[in-house]
Amino acid sequence: VSIFPESSNPSSVSYAWTGPNGGSIVGTNIGSTISVSEGGTYTVTSSDSAPNGLCPQTSEVIVSQNDDPIVEITINGDNCNGQLTLVAGVTNGTGGNLGFVWGDGSNSSQLVVTSTGQYEVTVLDQGSGCQGTGTIDVEVFNEITVFIRSEPNCDDNSEVLLTAIANITEDVTFEWTGPFGDILPDTGAEISARTSGNYSVTVAGVNNNCSATDDIDVLIIAITQDQLLLANREKFCSADPDPTKNTIVLDPGTFSSY
């Protein structure tokens, strides 16, 4: 801050300044203009070196100096959900209402971001005219979703094929857990379940901490060879005009599907 007296005094007049403490005046304290580093009361005394010159005069000025806003950006949300909310705030005192300008030109204190990168906001203290800037680096990842599809082995129904259907298939891992809580050796999207019980899969990102889990209950009832044999019931002749003799009923037993 520079301060100076308003005067039309001749060149024979000089000025000496004093401030609130010894280090508040930057550089010399002699001259019509000084620079100061802090707020407070400053006193200037004039003296005239000319014969029969002007009498010494003293005057005071109060300087109010405001600090630039110290900007802090906080993050709300889970970066594995595809978006984050950035919230700008000021950690020191301000003189008035705050104005916000983000890098994209938006003027809210909050900014929703959907991609990885560095974000910057400038905060203006409208009471003092001072401003500060804050930046933050964020990582945003697409949300992982998964569900398990089951398909019985129609050869003998002794196993159920389980497939993890994930929305992201690259740079992810698959971890399966069996009915007894054990981690299965299978690391792909498909496994064969031969034991009834609950199966779960966790799909996790290779380059981040994002993951998703799904589970399914499996009931396996194997079909024996005897159940696949149809007993001979009767012979029939399709040309017989009697409807009770030209058809036959085939009953495979009790199954959920055929």
Side-chain angles (χ1 to χ4, degrees), residues 2 9 13 39 44 59 62 64 103 129 131 138 140 146-147 152 176 178 188 200 206 215-216 224 227-228 243 249 255:
S2 296
N9 293 335
V13 176
V44 60
S59 182
I62 298 176
S64 297
Q131 66 180 31
V138 300
V140 182
V146 63
F147 71 92
W176 292 89
S200 66
V206 174
D215 69 289
I216 190 172
T224 64
Q227 292 174 303
L228 296 175
V249 177
F255 296 95

Side-chain angles (χ1 to χ4, degrees), residues 45-212:
T45 301
S46 66
S47 60
D48 193 347
S49 60
N52 301 319
L54 299 173
C55 297
Q57 297 290 326
T58 299
S59 182
E60 291 183 348
V61 62
I62 298 176
V63 176
S64 297
Q65 185 175 17
N66 299 286
D67 293 330
D68 289 336
I70 299 176
V71 181
E72 180 180 69
I73 302 175
T74 57
I75 300 174
N76 288 344
D78 186 344
N79 65 345
C80 292
N81 289 340
Q83 69 176 34
L84 292 171
T85 300
L86 307 183
V87 182
V90 173
T91 61
N92 58 338
T94 57
N97 295 329
L98 299 177
F100 300 86
V101 181
W102 292 88
D104 65 351
S106 58
N107 300 117
S108 171
S109 62
Q110 300 185 9
L111 180 69
V112 176
V113 299
T114 57
S115 58
T116 297
Q118 184 179 86
Y119 295 86
E120 179 180 280
V121 62
T122 298
V123 179
L124 172 66
D125 182 349
Q126 300 182 42
S128 66
C130 300
Q131 66 180 31
T133 300
T135 60
I136 193 170
D137 294 312
V138 300
E139 289 184 312
V140 182
F141 305 104
N142 292 328
E143 181 180 8
I144 299 176
T145 61
V146 63
F147 71 92
I148 300 175
R149 182 183 66 194
S150 65
E151 183 179 0
N153 184 342
C154 293
D155 291 338
D156 58 6
N157 210 40
S158 63
E159 64 179 356
V160 174
L161 303 178
L162 303 180
T163 304
I165 309 298
N167 65 324
I168 300 175
T169 57
E170 296 183 357
D171 295 326
V172 293
T173 61
F174 296 85
E175 183 179 84
W176 292 89
T177 302
F180 305 106
D182 53 322
I183 303 299
L184 303 180
D186 309 83
T187 58
E190 297 181 356
I191 66 169
S192 173
R194 294 180 174 272
T195 303
S196 297
N198 183 267
Y199 290 79
S200 66
V201 63
T202 297
V203 182
V206 174
N207 302 317
N208 53 60
N209 61 347
C210 304
S211 63

Side-chain angles (χ1 to χ4, degrees), residues 212-234:
T213 301
D214 191 31
D215 69 289
I216 190 172
D217 291 321
V218 173
L219 178 62
I220 297 176
I221 303 176
I223 300 174
T224 64
Q225 188 67 25
D226 294 340
Q227 292 174 303
L228 296 175
L229 297 177
L230 299 178
N232 293 327
R233 292 181 179 270
E234 59 181 307

